[in-house]
Amino acid sequence: MDKKILNSRRYFVKVGGLLAASALTGRKASGGSAPLGAHVVIVGGGFGGATLAKYLRMWSNKLIKVTLIEANDNFVSCPFSNFVLVGLRKMSYITHSYSNLSSKYGVNVLKDRVSTVDTAKKTVKTTSGKEFAYDKLVLATGIDFDYSELGALGNADMQGKIMHAWKAGAQTETLAKQIQGIKDGGVMAISIPKIPYRCPPGPYERASLIAEYFKKHKPKSKLLVLDANEKIQSKEGLFKKAWEDLYNDQIEYIPNSELKDVKISGSSISAITEFDEVKVDVLNAIPNQRAGDLVLSSGIKLVNNRWAQVNWMDLQSTNNPDIHIIGDSTFPAPTMPKSGHMANQHAKVVAAAIIDKLSGNLVNKSPLVINACYSFVAENSAMHVSSVHSYDQETKTMQPVKDAGGLSKERNGLEALYATAWAENIWSDILD
Amino acid sequence: MTILFTKKENINKFVFVLVLALEFGTSGVATADNTGRNLAATCMGCHGTNGKPINEVTGKLAGIKSEEILKLLVDLRSARRTSTIMEQITKGYNEEQLKQIAKYFSEIK
C-alpha cells in the first residue's frame, strides 16, 4: 500500500514537472508545480487534525491525498461538555460525525491508532497492523495524562472510578451520572492541575455550571475547587465576581492545593492534598498533562520532556522537516493558550504551509492566529477572553499583538448567545 | 516521455493529471500569494468556512461588498461601532490586512 503511494507520488511529481514546462507555460510563475498526489498523514481528529484534513483538501483542490487516523468513531467536543455534565445538553449535541470529511472532501478517514512513527522510512504503523507512507506527517494528538504524582490514582482500577472528563466522551457521560446522582447535601471536589493544561478557563467554567446545578436542584450541596495553582488561571476577575455574586453558598475555592493521592472506602472518597484530606461523594480529578504519547515516542524534539517544540512560522518540528505538530501537543508560543480554537487556527497555518512546501512555493513568513475563548458561568451567562498572535521574524516565534485581544467587560446573556454560535460554527468549520 | 506512456493506465493518469493541473493553475492555488485567503481563514472559526456560518448570530461575511466589510471592520477597530469581542480582535490586524480580508470574503459566492 505504502509503496504504491510513494510510486504514484513520484510519478505525479514527474508529470507535474512536465506540465509546468509545457501546458502551463505563459502562466504567472508559481515557484513550483502542483503538489500532485503527495500524501499527508494526520494523526488525531480533534479541533486541529480534522480542520487540517478539510482545509488541505479544500485549498489544494483535492490534489493532496489526506489520510486522517483517529481512534474514536466520532468527534466529541470538549467545549460544551460541561453543559452535558449538568444535564443542560445531551451527548448528541457535542458528538459529530467525520462523514463529511470523507464524502464531501475525500479525506481517507481511518478509525485506528498509530503506534509508531518511522522517521527514516517516513511511515507510520497502526495498532491494527496497517502501514502508511507519508510525504508530510502531522501529529494532532492533543494531550495525554500524567498520573505519576497522583498516588493511587495511578492505577487503572482507580481511574475507572475517578473521572477526569478532560477528553470529552465516555468519561463525560460517567461524570454526568455521578454528578446528577449526588444527593442534596452531598459534596463534590474538582482538582485542577498546575498550568499548562488544556483549556485554562475550562475547570472554572465547569465549577460554575456545577454550582448553578447545585443551587437549582441540590441547594445543600457544596463544591470544593482544589486548585494546584496559586490563583484562577484565566478570566480571574470575571470568575471571582460571578462566584461571589451567584455561588457564595456553593463554591469553596482553595488555591495552592494540589491533589496528591486518593483513597476510596465504601461510597466515601478521600481527596488528599499536601496539607489536607477532604471526604467527598464525587471527585473529578483533572491530572497533569503532556503531549500525546505518540509525540513523546516519535523522536521529535521536546520541551521539558512534555511538549513538542515547533517553529511557529509553520509549526514544523525543530528537528524533523517532514513532521508538523498542531494543537495542545505543542510547547506554546508566549501567552498562547491550549485551546480548541487555537488548534483550529494552527491547522490553517499548517494547511497553507504544507501546500506551499509541496508545491515548491515559499511559505508565508508572517502567519497570524487568533483565539476566541468563551466560558459560561451560568446556563445563560458567559464571558470571553481573546488574543491575536502574529509571527515575529526577530524573535522567531508568534508574539501576542500589542493592544489586541482582551476580556469581556462583564458576563452577560449576549455573550452566551455568541458562545453558542461560536461552538456551532467552529464545529462546522472543522467537520462540514 | 515514452517510458511514461507505455501503459494505457499511465495515459489515463496523464489525462487525469492534466485536467487537475489546469484547474489548479487557473484556481490561483498554485500561485504563491494567498495572503487574503490565509488572513480570512482566521475569521472562519466563528464566521464559518468561507464566511458562511451555520449559526448566523456571529454574522455572515460571504458575498458582502468589500467596502461594506472593510467599513465594518475599521469601525469595530476604532470602537466607533460597539462590540463585545470584535473591537479586541480587529486591533490585531493592520488596515491593509483588513482590506485583504474584506476582498476575500466579498468574492465568495
Side-chain angles (χ1 to χ4, degrees):
Chain A
M1 170 119 198
D2 48 324
K3 270 191 176 164
K4 238 184 194 174
I5 291 162
L6 275 174
N7 288 341
S8 67
R9 175 177 66 87
R10 283 177 188 138
Y11 177 84
F12 280 159
V13 168
K14 276 183 198 163
V15 178
L18 289 171
L19 280 174
S22 56
L24 301 180
T25 46
R27 291 189 191 282
K28 186 178 166 188
S30 67
S33 57
L36 300 168
H39 187 212
V40 178
V41 173
I42 303 168
V43 186
F47 274 71
T51 304
L52 177 63
K54 169 176 159 175
Y55 274 74
L56 272 174
R57 293 288 290 171
M58 191 169 77
W59 283 350
S60 75
N61 285 349
K62 302 188 178 176
L63 289 175
I64 292 178
K65 184 176 155 62
V66 176
T67 299
L68 176 65
I69 306 172
E70 162 58 45
N72 297 297
D73 287 314
N74 291 298
F75 170 96
V76 188
S77 171
C78 283
F80 265 94
S81 66
N82 288 332
F83 268 63
V84 176
L85 292 181
V86 295
L88 292 172
R89 290 283 191 287
K90 293 195 160 62
M91 280 302 285
S92 59
Y93 184 67
I94 59 168
T95 305
H96 302 269
S97 165
Y98 291 111
S99 60
N100 279 336
L101 291 184
S102 345
S103 63
K104 198 168 155 188
Y105 297 97
V107 175
N108 176 27
V109 181
L110 187 77
K111 190 192 168 190
D112 207 337
R113 196 178 281 276
V114 173
S115 51
T116 52
V117 178
D118 185 331
T119 52
K121 276 169 62 191
K122 292 176 69 174
T123 57
V124 298
K125 270 190 191 152
T126 70
T127 48
S128 74
K130 294 195 181 73
E131 189 174 7
F132 294 91
Y134 63 80
D135 294 292
K136 297 285 176 191
L137 173 67
V138 182
L139 302 177
T141 47
I143 51 158
D144 272 313
F145 298 113
D146 174 5
Y147 287 97
S148 63
E149 291 173 26
L150 281 170
L153 204 52
N155 75 59
D157 183 46
M158 192 69 98
Q159 287 166 27
K161 293 171 183 157
I162 307 292
M163 297 297 109
H164 53 73
W166 216 242
K167 292 183 183 185
Q171 289 245 344
T172 310
E173 290 183 271
T174 304
L175 184 59
K177 278 187 199 140
Q178 291 176 347
I179 292 170
Q180 291 168 46
I182 218 166
K183 63 182 187 298
D184 189 13
V187 179
M188 174 174 172
I190 298 176
S191 71
I192 303 171
K194 280 193 178 139
I195 202 88
Y197 57 83
R198 161 179 284 180
C199 186
Y204 311 102
E205 177 190 79
R206 179 173 290 183
S208 305
L209 291 172
I210 293 169
E212 184 188 40
Y213 169 79
F214 283 169
K215 192 174 176 179
K216 279 186 190 162
H217 303 287
K218 289 155 188 177
K220 288 184 217 145
S221 286
K222 302 278 180 212
L223 177 66
L224 303 175
V225 181
L226 308 172
D227 197 337
N229 302 287
E230 59 178 13
K231 60 178 185 176
I232 291 172
Q233 292 300 298
S234 177
K235 305 169 187 158
E236 185 191 10
L238 289 160
F239 274 116
K240 269 188 169 170
K241 176 141 185 17
W243 292 359
E244 278 165 23
D245 293 349
L246 305 170
Y247 309 126
N248 242 332
D249 295 336
Q250 281 75 37
I251 295 180
E252 186 181 347
Y253 178 72
I254 311 167
N256 299 311
S257 196
E258 186 172 7
L259 187 71
K260 294 284 187 190
D261 205 352
V262 179
K263 277 187 215 158
I264 298 182
S265 72
S267 64
S268 175
I269 300 164
S270 290
I272 298 157
T273 62
E274 195 175 357
F275 304 111
D276 210 355
E277 177 170 342
V278 288
K279 286 203 169 12
V280 297
D281 301 292
V282 174
L283 173 63
N284 171 208
I286 305 168
N288 287 323
Q289 292 162 32
R290 54 172 173 74
D293 288 334
L294 193 68
V295 168
L296 271 56
S297 65
S298 63
I300 58 172
K301 193 162 185 200
L302 303 175
V303 178
N304 301 333
N305 289 319
R306 276 179 181 264
W307 309 106
Q309 188 182 65
V310 296
N311 174 346
W312 280 98
M313 192 170 83
D314 52 13
L315 290 92
Q316 182 181 296
S317 162
T318 55
N319 71 343
N320 190 321
D322 296 316
I323 301 181
H324 296 253
I325 306 93
I326 60 174
D328 290 348
S329 280
T330 55
F331 182 75
T335 76
M336 189 181 275
K338 294 191 181 299
S339 74
H341 194 112
M342 199 42 92
N344 167 271
Q345 299 266 318
H346 291 172
K348 292 165 188 174
V349 172
V350 171
I354 286 180
I355 294 169
D356 282 338
K357 283 178 193 203
L358 292 173
S359 312
N361 292 331
L362 291 173
V363 172
N364 178 13
K365 285 196 170 66
S366 46
L368 181 145
V369 294
I370 68 168
N371 189 53
C373 161
Y374 287 94
S375 299
F376 284 85
V377 286
E379 182 181 2
N380 295 312
S381 182
M383 59 228 194
H384 75 261
V385 62
S386 67
S387 54
V388 183
H389 308 255
S390 176
Y391 188 75
D392 174 53
Q393 294 181 25
E394 229 166 81
T395 55
K396 292 193 163 39
T397 186
M398 286 209 184
Q399 296 286 357
V401 178
K402 204 169 160 271
D403 299 327
L407 289 157
S408 301
K409 289 184 190 80
E410 57 172 14
R411 66 175 190 273
N412 61 39
L414 178 63
E415 298 235 13
L417 287 179
Y418 286 146
T420 305
W422 170 84
E424 292 172 0
N425 286 332
I426 203 163
W427 295 335
S428 173
D429 187 42
I430 296 164
L431 296 161
D432 299 339
Chain B
M1 285 295 267
T2 45
I3 295 164
L4 289 172
F5 294 104
T6 48
K7 286 182 185 172
K8 193 183 172 192
E9 185 196 346
N10 280 348
I11 296 171
N12 288 340
K13 268 186 187 172
F14 179 82
V15 172
F16 174 71
V17 168
L18 179 67
V19 169
L20 290 183
L22 288 173
E23 187 192 351
F24 196 81
T26 53
S27 70
V29 175
T31 58
D33 190 11
N34 287 308
T35 312
R37 181 200 71 185
N38 293 344
L39 286 166
T42 64
C43 313
M44 295 176 191
C46 298
H47 294 273
T49 305
N50 290 325
K52 297 174 183 171
I54 58 158
N55 183 327
E56 295 199 357
V57 165
T58 55
K60 185 181 168 184
L61 298 170
I64 311 275
K65 279 185 190 156
S66 176
E67 315 83 80
E68 277 178 45
I69 300 176
L70 183 62
K71 183 175 182 329
L72 177 66
L73 292 172
V74 169
D75 285 354
L76 284 163
R77 192 175 53 163
S78 63
R80 272 194 296 272
R81 187 185 169 106
T82 57
S83 65
T84 54
I85 196 169
M86 281 309 294
E87 175 186 333
Q88 300 164 355
I89 289 174
T90 45
K91 280 187 179 135
Y93 303 77
N94 61 38
E95 186 143 350
E96 177 52 32
Q97 290 173 321
L98 295 182
K99 265 186 200 162
Q100 299 233 31
I101 290 170
K103 181 169 181 292
Y104 185 85
F105 284 121
S106 72
E107 288 167 359
I108 304 279
K109 281 169 193 154

PDB file of all heavy atoms in Angstrom, chain A residues 402-422:
ATOM      1  N   LYS A 402       0.270  43.567  20.285  1.00  0.00           N
ATOM      2  CA  LYS A 402       0.067  44.562  21.347  1.00  0.00           C
ATOM      3  C   LYS A 402      -1.282  45.267  21.135  1.00  0.00           C
ATOM      4  O   LYS A 402      -1.655  45.567  20.008  1.00  0.00           O
ATOM      5  CB  LYS A 402       1.211  45.578  21.278  1.00  0.00           C
ATOM      6  CG  LYS A 402       1.481  46.291  22.566  1.00  0.00           C
ATOM      7  CD  LYS A 402       2.797  47.072  22.478  1.00  0.00           C
ATOM      8  CE  LYS A 402       2.834  48.149  23.524  1.00  0.00           C
ATOM      9  NZ  LYS A 402       2.265  49.421  23.094  1.00  0.00           N
ATOM     10  N   ASP A 403      -1.965  45.510  22.207  1.00  0.00           N
ATOM     11  CA  ASP A 403      -3.254  46.229  22.227  1.00  0.00           C
ATOM     12  C   ASP A 403      -4.422  45.419  21.650  1.00  0.00           C
ATOM     13  O   ASP A 403      -5.565  45.860  21.722  1.00  0.00           O
ATOM     14  CB  ASP A 403      -3.181  47.573  21.478  1.00  0.00           C
ATOM     15  CG  ASP A 403      -2.156  48.515  22.106  1.00  0.00           C
ATOM     16  OD1 ASP A 403      -2.006  48.451  23.347  1.00  0.00           O
ATOM     17  OD2 ASP A 403      -1.512  49.270  21.375  1.00  0.00           O
ATOM     18  N   ALA A 404      -4.148  44.284  21.051  1.00  0.00           N
ATOM     19  CA  ALA A 404      -5.260  43.467  20.545  1.00  0.00           C
ATOM     20  C   ALA A 404      -5.685  42.469  21.628  1.00  0.00           C
ATOM     21  O   ALA A 404      -4.914  42.157  22.533  1.00  0.00           O
ATOM     22  CB  ALA A 404      -4.837  42.724  19.289  1.00  0.00           C
ATOM     23  N   GLY A 405      -6.908  41.979  21.497  1.00  0.00           N
ATOM     24  CA  GLY A 405      -7.400  40.987  22.447  1.00  0.00           C
ATOM     25  C   GLY A 405      -7.821  41.610  23.760  1.00  0.00           C
ATOM     26  O   GLY A 405      -7.696  42.819  23.975  1.00  0.00           O
ATOM     27  N   GLY A 406      -8.346  40.771  24.630  1.00  0.00           N
ATOM     28  CA  GLY A 406      -8.771  41.266  25.944  1.00  0.00           C
ATOM     29  C   GLY A 406      -9.900  40.440  26.520  1.00  0.00           C
ATOM     30  O   GLY A 406     -10.236  39.365  25.998  1.00  0.00           O
ATOM     31  N   LEU A 407     -10.463  40.961  27.585  1.00  0.00           N
ATOM     32  CA  LEU A 407     -11.519  40.249  28.314  1.00  0.00           C
ATOM     33  C   LEU A 407     -12.872  40.931  28.102  1.00  0.00           C
ATOM     34  O   LEU A 407     -12.928  42.111  27.753  1.00  0.00           O
ATOM     35  CB  LEU A 407     -11.219  40.296  29.814  1.00  0.00           C
ATOM     36  CG  LEU A 407     -10.047  39.457  30.303  1.00  0.00           C
ATOM     37  CD1 LEU A 407      -9.514  40.009  31.608  1.00  0.00           C
ATOM     38  CD2 LEU A 407     -10.482  38.006  30.486  1.00  0.00           C
ATOM     39  N   SER A 408     -13.939  40.199  28.400  1.00  0.00           N
ATOM     40  CA  SER A 408     -15.271  40.815  28.447  1.00  0.00           C
ATOM     41  C   SER A 408     -15.283  41.878  29.527  1.00  0.00           C
ATOM     42  O   SER A 408     -14.613  41.734  30.549  1.00  0.00           O
ATOM     43  CB  SER A 408     -16.327  39.789  28.849  1.00  0.00           C
ATOM     44  OG  SER A 408     -16.356  38.733  27.961  1.00  0.00           O
ATOM     45  N   LYS A 409     -16.084  42.901  29.296  1.00  0.00           N
ATOM     46  CA  LYS A 409     -16.270  43.892  30.360  1.00  0.00           C
ATOM     47  C   LYS A 409     -17.068  43.257  31.500  1.00  0.00           C
ATOM     48  O   LYS A 409     -16.862  43.550  32.655  1.00  0.00           O
ATOM     49  CB  LYS A 409     -17.015  45.105  29.814  1.00  0.00           C
ATOM     50  CG  LYS A 409     -16.156  45.932  28.860  1.00  0.00           C
ATOM     51  CD  LYS A 409     -16.882  47.194  28.393  1.00  0.00           C
ATOM     52  CE  LYS A 409     -16.126  47.879  27.274  1.00  0.00           C
ATOM     53  NZ  LYS A 409     -16.365  47.229  25.953  1.00  0.00           N
ATOM     54  N   GLU A 410     -18.011  42.398  31.134  1.00  0.00           N
ATOM     55  CA  GLU A 410     -18.862  41.743  32.142  1.00  0.00           C
ATOM     56  C   GLU A 410     -19.442  40.467  31.551  1.00  0.00           C
ATOM     57  O   GLU A 410     -19.485  40.300  30.343  1.00  0.00           O
ATOM     58  CB  GLU A 410     -20.016  42.679  32.525  1.00  0.00           C
ATOM     59  CG  GLU A 410     -20.829  43.082  31.297  1.00  0.00           C
ATOM     60  CD  GLU A 410     -22.100  43.856  31.601  1.00  0.00           C
ATOM     61  OE1 GLU A 410     -22.236  44.309  32.736  1.00  0.00           O
ATOM     62  OE2 GLU A 410     -22.938  43.966  30.690  1.00  0.00           O
ATOM     63  N   ARG A 411     -19.876  39.587  32.412  1.00  0.00           N
ATOM     64  CA  ARG A 411     -20.608  38.403  31.934  1.00  0.00           C
ATOM     65  C   ARG A 411     -22.012  38.851  31.564  1.00  0.00           C
ATOM     66  O   ARG A 411     -22.571  39.737  32.203  1.00  0.00           O
ATOM     67  CB  ARG A 411     -20.657  37.341  33.041  1.00  0.00           C
ATOM     68  CG  ARG A 411     -21.475  37.787  34.248  1.00  0.00           C
ATOM     69  CD  ARG A 411     -21.626  36.695  35.303  1.00  0.00           C
ATOM     70  NE  ARG A 411     -22.593  37.069  36.311  1.00  0.00           N
ATOM     71  CZ  ARG A 411     -22.315  37.767  37.405  1.00  0.00           C
ATOM     72  NH1 ARG A 411     -21.072  38.175  37.642  1.00  0.00           N
ATOM     73  NH2 ARG A 411     -23.270  38.055  38.272  1.00  0.00           N
ATOM     74  N   ASN A 412     -22.584  38.260  30.530  1.00  0.00           N
ATOM     75  CA  ASN A 412     -23.982  38.577  30.216  1.00  0.00           C
ATOM     76  C   ASN A 412     -24.597  37.569  29.246  1.00  0.00           C
ATOM     77  O   ASN A 412     -23.930  36.637  28.783  1.00  0.00           O
ATOM     78  CB  ASN A 412     -24.116  40.022  29.689  1.00  0.00           C
ATOM     79  CG  ASN A 412     -23.323  40.258  28.415  1.00  0.00           C
ATOM     80  OD1 ASN A 412     -23.267  39.384  27.537  1.00  0.00           O
ATOM     81  ND2 ASN A 412     -22.704  41.429  28.308  1.00  0.00           N
ATOM     82  N   GLY A 413     -25.860  37.796  28.957  1.00  0.00           N
ATOM     83  CA  GLY A 413     -26.612  36.877  28.113  1.00  0.00           C
ATOM     84  C   GLY A 413     -26.233  36.959  26.644  1.00  0.00           C
ATOM     85  O   GLY A 413     -26.273  35.960  25.926  1.00  0.00           O
ATOM     86  N   LEU A 414     -25.847  38.157  26.199  1.00  0.00           N
ATOM     87  CA  LEU A 414     -25.449  38.309  24.798  1.00  0.00           C
ATOM     88  C   LEU A 414     -24.217  37.440  24.509  1.00  0.00           C
ATOM     89  O   LEU A 414     -24.148  36.751  23.485  1.00  0.00           O
ATOM     90  CB  LEU A 414     -25.138  39.788  24.507  1.00  0.00           C
ATOM     91  CG  LEU A 414     -24.665  40.097  23.090  1.00  0.00           C
ATOM     92  CD1 LEU A 414     -25.756  39.771  22.060  1.00  0.00           C
ATOM     93  CD2 LEU A 414     -24.245  41.569  22.959  1.00  0.00           C
ATOM     94  N   GLU A 415     -23.279  37.457  25.445  1.00  0.00           N
ATOM     95  CA  GLU A 415     -22.076  36.642  25.243  1.00  0.00           C
ATOM     96  C   GLU A 415     -22.404  35.144  25.258  1.00  0.00           C
ATOM     97  O   GLU A 415     -21.726  34.343  24.625  1.00  0.00           O
ATOM     98  CB  GLU A 415     -21.016  36.989  26.292  1.00  0.00           C
ATOM     99  CG  GLU A 415     -20.564  38.440  26.179  1.00  0.00           C
ATOM    100  CD  GLU A 415     -19.060  38.624  26.023  1.00  0.00           C
ATOM    101  OE1 GLU A 415     -18.351  37.651  25.763  1.00  0.00           O
ATOM    102  OE2 GLU A 415     -18.625  39.779  26.172  1.00  0.00           O
ATOM    103  N   ALA A 416     -23.465  34.782  25.984  1.00  0.00           N
ATOM    104  CA  ALA A 416     -23.895  33.381  25.968  1.00  0.00           C
ATOM    105  C   ALA A 416     -24.403  32.993  24.580  1.00  0.00           C
ATOM    106  O   ALA A 416     -24.138  31.888  24.090  1.00  0.00           O
ATOM    107  CB  ALA A 416     -24.971  33.146  27.022  1.00  0.00           C
ATOM    108  N   LEU A 417     -25.104  33.927  23.918  1.00  0.00           N
ATOM    109  CA  LEU A 417     -25.561  33.661  22.538  1.00  0.00           C
ATOM    110  C   LEU A 417     -24.359  33.517  21.599  1.00  0.00           C
ATOM    111  O   LEU A 417     -24.317  32.628  20.754  1.00  0.00           O
ATOM    112  CB  LEU A 417     -26.442  34.809  22.028  1.00  0.00           C
ATOM    113  CG  LEU A 417     -27.836  34.941  22.594  1.00  0.00           C
ATOM    114  CD1 LEU A 417     -28.532  36.156  21.983  1.00  0.00           C
ATOM    115  CD2 LEU A 417     -28.653  33.665  22.310  1.00  0.00           C
ATOM    116  N   TYR A 418     -23.394  34.418  21.767  1.00  0.00           N
ATOM    117  CA  TYR A 418     -22.183  34.344  20.937  1.00  0.00           C
ATOM    118  C   TYR A 418     -21.401  33.059  21.215  1.00  0.00           C
ATOM    119  O   TYR A 418     -20.837  32.450  20.301  1.00  0.00           O
ATOM    120  CB  TYR A 418     -21.283  35.556  21.192  1.00  0.00           C
ATOM    121  CG  TYR A 418     -21.785  36.849  20.586  1.00  0.00           C
ATOM    122  CD1 TYR A 418     -21.568  38.065  21.217  1.00  0.00           C
ATOM    123  CD2 TYR A 418     -22.480  36.859  19.377  1.00  0.00           C
ATOM    124  CE1 TYR A 418     -22.024  39.267  20.668  1.00  0.00           C
ATOM    125  CE2 TYR A 418     -22.943  38.048  18.830  1.00  0.00           C
ATOM    126  CZ  TYR A 418     -22.716  39.246  19.481  1.00  0.00           C
ATOM    127  OH  TYR A 418     -23.167  40.414  18.932  1.00  0.00           O
ATOM    128  N   ALA A 419     -21.366  32.670  22.482  1.00  0.00           N
ATOM    129  CA  ALA A 419     -20.612  31.464  22.850  1.00  0.00           C
ATOM    130  C   ALA A 419     -21.206  30.234  22.165  1.00  0.00           C
ATOM    131  O   ALA A 419     -20.481  29.362  21.675  1.00  0.00           O
ATOM    132  CB  ALA A 419     -20.616  31.285  24.362  1.00  0.00           C
ATOM    133  N   THR A 420     -22.532  30.181  22.122  1.00  0.00           N
ATOM    134  CA  THR A 420     -23.201  29.049  21.468  1.00  0.00           C
ATOM    135  C   THR A 420     -22.945  29.087  19.960  1.00  0.00           C
ATOM    136  O   THR A 420     -22.642  28.064  19.341  1.00  0.00           O
ATOM    137  CB  THR A 420     -24.718  29.109  21.755  1.00  0.00           C
ATOM    138  OG1 THR A 420     -24.896  29.162  23.165  1.00  0.00           O
ATOM    139  CG2 THR A 420     -25.435  27.898  21.197  1.00  0.00           C
ATOM    140  N   ALA A 421     -23.041  30.284  19.386  1.00  0.00           N
ATOM    141  CA  ALA A 421     -22.783  30.423  17.944  1.00  0.00           C
ATOM    142  C   ALA A 421     -21.335  30.059  17.634  1.00  0.00           C
ATOM    143  O   ALA A 421     -21.049  29.395  16.627  1.00  0.00           O
ATOM    144  CB  ALA A 421     -23.067  31.855  17.495  1.00  0.00           C
ATOM    145  N   TRP A 422     -20.430  30.471  18.509  1.00  0.00           N
ATOM    146  CA  TRP A 422     -19.012  30.120  18.325  1.00  0.00           C
ATOM    147  C   TRP A 422     -18.869  28.607  18.197  1.00  0.00           C
ATOM    148  O   TRP A 422     -18.240  28.109  17.262  1.00  0.00           O
ATOM    149  CB  TRP A 422     -18.162  30.621  19.511  1.00  0.00           C
ATOM    150  CG  TRP A 422     -16.779  30.070  19.473  1.00  0.00           C
ATOM    151  CD1 TRP A 422     -15.725  30.565  18.772  1.00  0.00           C
ATOM    152  CD2 TRP A 422     -16.306  28.861  20.100  1.00  0.00           C
ATOM    153  NE1 TRP A 422     -14.622  29.753  18.932  1.00  0.00           N
ATOM    154  CE2 TRP A 422     -14.954  28.698  19.735  1.00  0.00           C
ATOM    155  CE3 TRP A 422     -16.897  27.894  20.919  1.00  0.00           C
ATOM    156  CZ2 TRP A 422     -14.177  27.619  20.168  1.00  0.00           C
ATOM    157  CZ3 TRP A 422     -16.131  26.812  21.349  1.00  0.00           C
ATOM    158  CH2 TRP A 422     -14.786  26.682  20.982  1.00  0.00           C
TER     159      TRP A 422
END
